[in-house]
Amino acid sequence: MISATHYLILSLILLSLGLIGVMMRRNFITVLMSLELIFNAVNLNLIAFSYQLGDLSGQILAIFVITVAAAEAAIGLGLIIALTRLRNTVNLDEVHEMEG
Amino acid sequence: MSFDLFIPFIPEIFLAVASFVVLVAGITMGRRGTRGVSLLAAASLVITAVLVWVFARPSGAVQPILGGMLVLDNFSVFFKFLVLAASAMTLFLSAGYLDRLKYGGGEFPSLILTATLGMFIMASAANLASLYVGLELMALSVYVLVGFCKLEIRSNEGAIKYFVLGAMSSGILLYGISLVYGSLGTLDLAAIRAGLSSAPQSNLVLLLGIVLMAFGMLFKVAAVPFHVWTPDAYEGAPTPVTAFISVGPKAAAFAIFLRVFAVAFRPEFDAWRNVIWAAAAMTMILGNVAAIRQDNVKRMLAYSSIAHAGYALLGIVAGSDAGISAVLMYMLVYTFMNIGAFGMVILLESRGYAGETISDWAGLSHRSPAAAGIMLFFMLALAGIPPTGGFMAKLYVFSAAVNAGYVGLVVIAVLMSAVSLYYYFRLVVEMYLRDGAEAEGGAEMIRDSWAWGVVVLCTVVILAIGVFPQPVFQWAKGGIAAIGLM
């Protein structure tokens, strides 16, 4: 029998993978994918808890999260396009004009 | 189905419609209509302010909106007026700036309006779901605003750093929300408070959720150790946007911080108090120390705004009613001080750029004594010297923290205020004691009557609050008298 604990462990793994990806990867597109992993870890949690509690509000929030993550991805991709037009790169290490 | 449900929501609906109208007006009027479009957006903010005033309950009664997703109370009205003031001043600061940089158009004012709408929802959020949606509406608008000068690599870099770290912090905040939901079974803030105070819990999932939510919120207010995005985003952004994000989103983030932590999680005060205590201490120390070695004025003000978030956190750590109202007062004063200081940076132009490096300010007192005097006043206010409002704001926060028994933290705060004198006065020394002969670039004050108006308004407000703090403090106290969840 799969319980909420199993989902919690899976979502913790996904969250860790996402956080590590955001901090370690230098390719902006991979960073965006890692951000999606974080949001999907949250969605998994919300839906598992919602099912366990028999309460719908968690699933409603999950739908909001999916929608907002889509808008967020659109802005991320827009920034990638602006960056490639200026520097012809998607590597974050090549963007360091400001110091301190 | 009754439309009564929507009546207290009319200011927000108006703001949403206005943002679309402004966007379309910007497209039809073209690049040359920047000032007209900004004026239209500012006018819609004024109408929104009137609507907020009309629908506010002067008695302070708490009214749920949209089935309890939002709440209308004095606390939300206070933050709504604060946010409206910040947005309107930003519009007046930005119109001339965008014209000069050839980035005019309707997108900028329209994004300011959507960000304002997001902050409205944050200010009155009574449910973690609406809180998240408001936060993201504000954050997404602001990411675009920071990267608005899309042909400038610095603007782009600031936006990328802000976006990546901002999205990550939203994810952490959400993960915390999901854990809190899982252990308490509700997203409603009033129900969370009721559940926690009737049956105090200490299970690991709930505590982890609260701590992760605290991390997310600390990120949004730019507290150490979650501040790394701040200097780059502030330096890279167009200066009017820097002025905006240093006050509006920060005030809104403090609004949700207070509502979630000081109100909903109040029964678990002992569990999260130490996290905020440590963050406040680190924020004050690192913000002030790092500001010392900055040669770029925008970057220096970025670290200074980190330090100010640390002072405001003192009020949350205090946890008392006096502490919460001191945070409200601090945010109000800080908004006018910071917009004024950034307004002066916008108005000093050197070689086509805003007066960003400290050497641009050399000898300003000889070339335009009035401008130097006003900047001196803002530096005094930011450092917290009487008779400015900055002193009064600090006084209320510090005394609330002392009364709550946090003497050690207040000692750190006072010492760090002394450190802050050093870097604020570096600019003053530059303006008054250098003759400016070496400043061949000739940084001059530009003629932009709208931006000058904003700066003078900020000066008057800060001086008035410094001399007569009581009315404002009473208003801030009224803001928490009927906070929607107590």
Side-chain angles (χ1 to χ4, degrees):
Chain A
M1 183 62 198
I2 297 177
S3 70
T5 317
H6 293 89
Y7 286 108
L8 192 58
I9 291 166
L10 177 60
S11 85
L12 264 177
I13 295 170
L14 284 175
L15 176 77
S16 318
L17 284 175
L19 288 176
I20 293 168
V22 170
M23 286 187 257
M24 307 297 284
R25 290 303 187 119
R26 294 336 304 162
N27 184 313
F28 197 173
I29 295 171
T30 320
V31 169
L32 271 188
M33 286 154 60
S34 307
L35 286 174
E36 293 300 316
L37 267 186
I38 297 178
F39 287 113
N40 284 326
V42 173
N43 286 338
L44 190 65
N45 248 355
L46 285 172
I47 294 164
F49 284 136
S50 170
Y51 182 74
Q52 188 199 25
L53 294 162
D55 175 79
L56 271 180
S57 55
Q59 294 182 40
I60 295 168
L61 180 55
I63 291 172
F64 275 114
V65 173
I66 292 169
T67 319
V68 171
E72 205 140 41
I75 287 178
L77 291 170
L79 287 173
I80 292 179
I81 290 173
L83 180 65
T84 40
R85 282 188 180 157
L86 282 174
R87 282 290 157 94
N88 203 17
T89 181
V90 290
N91 190 331
L92 294 179
D93 278 340
E94 291 177 35
V95 191
H96 45 75
E97 293 292 308
M98 295 176 279
E99 296 297 330
Chain B
M1 152 133 194
S2 150
F3 286 98
D4 290 354
L5 202 63
F6 291 100
I7 287 176
F9 198 54
I10 284 175
E12 280 87 352
I13 294 174
F14 176 81
L15 206 48
V17 173
S19 74
F20 292 126
V21 171
V22 166
L23 186 62
V24 173
I27 293 167
T28 50
M29 289 167 79
R31 291 287 182 220
R32 282 165 43 208
T34 312
R35 278 183 188 259
V37 177
S38 296
L39 209 54
L40 183 67
S44 62
L45 288 179
V46 172
I47 297 172
T48 312
V50 173
L51 289 173
V52 171
W53 182 255
V54 168
F55 290 107
R57 294 286 172 275
S59 60
V62 176
Q63 186 179 10
I65 315 176
L66 299 181
M69 290 301 276
L70 302 173
V71 66
L72 184 64
D73 54 9
N74 285 348
F75 180 82
S76 66
V77 171
F78 180 93
F79 274 103
K80 281 175 184 177
F81 278 121
L82 186 55
V83 160
L84 281 172
S87 304
M89 289 191 289
T90 308
L91 285 171
F92 283 112
L93 282 180
S94 63
Y97 184 89
L98 291 171
D99 253 356
R100 289 196 295 282
L101 291 184
K102 308 277 186 289
Y103 275 107
E107 306 94 303
F108 190 96
S110 176
L111 283 167
I112 295 274
L113 293 190
T114 50
T116 312
L117 176 60
M119 293 187 278
F120 264 47
I121 294 173
M122 286 162 82
S124 53
N127 186 299
L128 291 174
S130 55
L131 180 145
Y132 170 69
V133 173
L135 179 70
E136 286 299 298
L137 179 57
M138 180 272 286
L140 294 179
S141 314
V142 167
Y143 300 148
V144 181
L145 284 173
V146 170
F148 199 78
C149 294
K150 60 185 177 189
L151 300 178
E152 279 268 342
I153 184 71
R154 288 200 308 168
S155 179
N156 209 293
E157 180 187 345
I160 287 171
K161 286 181 177 165
Y162 192 14
F163 169 79
V164 170
L165 293 173
M168 189 175 85
S169 80
S170 296
I172 292 172
L173 176 71
L174 263 180
Y175 202 85
I177 289 176
S178 76
L179 294 181
V180 169
Y181 171 68
S183 43
L184 296 175
T186 177
L187 291 168
D188 188 66
L189 290 178
I192 287 174
R193 184 185 167 94
L196 283 176
S197 45
S198 65
Q201 296 190 19
S202 58
N203 75 61
L204 197 64
V205 174
L206 177 69
L207 290 183
L208 185 63
I210 291 177
V211 168
L212 287 180
M213 282 185 75
F215 285 177
M217 303 254 183
L218 287 172
F219 188 99
K220 297 294 176 195
V221 301
V224 178
F226 308 99
H227 69 290
V228 282
W229 57 275
T230 320
D232 287 334
Y234 281 28
E235 188 188 339
T239 315
V241 176
T242 314
F244 181 62
I245 60 176
S246 70
V247 295
K250 190 170 285 208
F254 267 104
I256 56 172
F257 211 142
L258 286 171
R259 220 189 263 278
V260 172
F261 279 84
V263 181
F265 289 158
R266 174 73 205 186
E268 300 277 319
F269 188 49
D270 291 329
W272 54 264
R273 186 179 53 192
N274 292 329
V275 176
I276 312 293
W277 192 100
M282 282 192 291
T283 307
M284 288 184 292
I285 294 171
L286 199 136
N288 281 311
V289 171
I292 289 176
R293 56 186 183 84
Q294 302 304 327
D295 289 324
N296 182 307
V297 177
K298 275 165 88 176
R299 234 179 150 76
M300 186 267 273
L301 286 173
Y303 280 108
S304 126
S305 88
I306 293 174
H308 282 280
Y311 303 137
L313 282 175
L314 283 183
I316 298 182
V317 176
S320 56
D321 280 5
I324 299 174
S325 56
V327 175
L328 265 62
M329 167 104 174
Y330 202 93
M331 279 296 117
L332 180 91
V333 173
Y334 168 79
T335 297
F336 285 95
M337 294 192 294
N338 236 31
I339 288 218
F342 275 115
M344 292 304 292
V345 177
I346 292 169
L347 282 167
L348 184 82
E349 190 174 65
S350 131
R351 294 174 294 271
Y353 287 96
E356 285 186 15
T357 57
I358 291 207
S359 58
D360 284 342
W361 295 78
L364 190 67
S365 65
H366 305 300
R367 280 172 285 148
S368 54
I374 291 176
M375 193 63 181
L376 169 66
F377 179 76
F378 285 129
M379 291 297 117
L380 288 174
L382 284 167
I385 299 206
T388 61
F391 170 74
M392 287 299 163
K394 271 196 178 132
L395 183 69
Y396 284 120
V397 174
F398 291 179
S399 63
V402 167
N403 288 337
Y406 295 95
V407 179
L409 203 54
V410 173
V411 169
I412 297 176
V414 172
L415 286 177
M416 285 302 133
S417 297
V419 170
S420 75
L421 275 175
Y422 175 80
Y423 58 85
Y424 290 131
F425 273 75
R426 213 177 132 199
L427 201 59
V428 174
V429 166
E430 201 76 23
M431 287 190 300
Y432 280 91
L433 300 180
R434 299 274 153 80
D435 59 5
E438 66 267 36
E440 285 296 317
E444 288 295 335
M445 303 308 296
I446 53 167
R447 305 165 81 83
D448 182 340
S449 51
W450 288 17
W452 273 113
V454 171
V455 168
V456 171
L457 174 76
C458 290
T459 318
V460 172
V461 170
I462 296 299
L463 191 61
I465 294 175
V467 180
F468 306 108
Q470 273 307 318
V472 179
F473 190 61
Q474 288 306 325
W475 189 36
K477 264 170 112 167
I480 63 152
I483 196 162
L485 305 159
M486 295 259 187

